[in-house]
Amino acid sequence: ELTEHSFDKPIDIALFSAGGGTSEKFAPIAAAHGCIVIDNSSQWRMDPEVPLVIPEINPEDILWNKGIIANPNCSTIIMLMALKPIHDLSRIKRIVVSTYQAVSGAGKEGIDELYNETAAIAKGEHYEPTILPSASLPIHYQIAYKVIPQIDLFIDDEYTKEELKMVNETHKILHDDSIVITPTAVRVPVVRSHAESIYIETEDVLSVDAVKEAIKNCPGAELVDDVENMKYPMPLDTSDKTDVAVGRIRKDLVSPNGINLWVSGDQIRKGAALNTLQIAEYMIEHDIIK
């Protein structure tokens, strides 16, 4: 059982994935005892004293941790694994992203709801939804054979918390608040692995070949782009996989600086658990443990 005395004995690294309330209470206690907490909740992500890290992108931020390191939102991780190699070629000025997020992002209850609704509909029976778009909301919608253009609560300017996470976290990870980002987060009847349709504008004109080569050479990203043979990223193919798949890379039809791409990645692995472990591995390999 986790208690206020759990960290009295020396612990080097603690991996937290028990919700924001637990992290808010116990992460500072662990840090005060010399432990480094890697937290998978949203509690510390935007705290200016806490690094927000994707090891393939900004591992140097780990160095200034004060005992707590935050793991980004899964949709942010999947997007930036595709965009960082392009950003390194030429600074990205604008991002327009639409997510297609699996029901497992809502936990086991989200998976159960999709399965139960699908089975009930196949039998011609009624099933009363209770989970999506959020269990905390007064209204719930069927997800089977449907998409829901809302994930989490609406907050500022009619954007949801999930959408604004992608904006704020991208700015913090890339250390660039000037990037213009317009997100739309959508829940789809897929069990595992998120997908994203992304449009970007870069400062310089980039060729498709240059973008493909950059992604091909990026650790943690996989180029899956062979339209002649109908090969492109899909959630079923990326489930239980480590890398984020990137494909459908093409120039915009209007803007010479615009590029469109399609991305899919396992939000439970790279979008959460794997990224957390990679942060811990980086600290061990670079002797950062206090």
Side-chain angles (χ1 to χ4, degrees), residues 76-154:
T76 306
I77 292 175
I78 291 168
M79 178 176 73
L80 291 185
M81 286 300 299
L83 296 189
K84 182 55 165 61
I86 306 174
H87 190 64
D88 287 343
L89 290 177
S90 176
R91 178 182 164 274
I92 294 173
K93 300 189 300 180
R94 180 176 178 80
I95 302 170
V96 180
V97 55
S98 294
T99 70
Y100 302 71
Q101 296 183 220
V103 293
S104 52
K108 180 182 180 296
E109 294 82 3
I111 299 174
D112 291 343
E113 185 132 296
L114 174 59
Y115 284 155
N116 292 337
E117 285 176 358
T118 304
I121 291 169
K123 296 175 184 178
E125 299 173 354
H126 174 72
Y127 184 90
E128 190 66 32
T130 60
I131 300 299
L132 300 172
S134 173
S136 63
L137 292 172
I139 299 172
H140 301 105
Y141 291 120
Q142 170 187 318
I143 185 61
Y145 308 104
K146 190 177 182 179
V147 299
I148 302 174
Q150 178 184 357
I151 297 178
D152 216 323
L153 310 178
F154 287 104

Side-chain angles (χ1 to χ4, degrees), residues 252-268:
D252 187 64
L253 294 174
V254 178
S255 172
N257 295 65
I259 297 170
N260 293 281
L261 55 153
W262 173 259
V263 180
S264 182
D266 190 324
Q267 91 285 359
I268 298 172

Side-chain angles (χ1 to χ4, degrees), residues 158-169:
E158 298 191 1
Y159 284 86
T160 65
K161 287 178 68 176
E162 181 76 7
E163 291 161 350
L164 292 179
K165 285 176 186 177
M166 297 185 74
V167 176
N168 297 328
E169 292 177 18

Side-chain angles (χ1 to χ4, degrees), residues 4 22 27 45 69 71-72 87 247:
E4 295 181 1
T22 301
R45 289 175 186 160
I69 300 169
N71 207 42
H87 190 64

Side-chain angles (χ1 to χ4, degrees), residues 81-82 86 208-226 231-233 243-250 261-262 264:
M81 286 300 299
I86 306 174
V208 169
D209 288 342
V211 171
K212 288 183 178 180
E213 190 65 23
I215 291 169
K216 189 186 302 183
N217 294 327
C218 178
E222 178 188 10
L223 181 67
V224 182
D225 196 336
D226 182 2
K231 294 187 182 299
Y232 29 70
D243 292 345
V244 173
V246 187
R248 293 296 318 277
I249 300 169
R250 59 209 186 275
L261 55 153
W262 173 259
S264 182

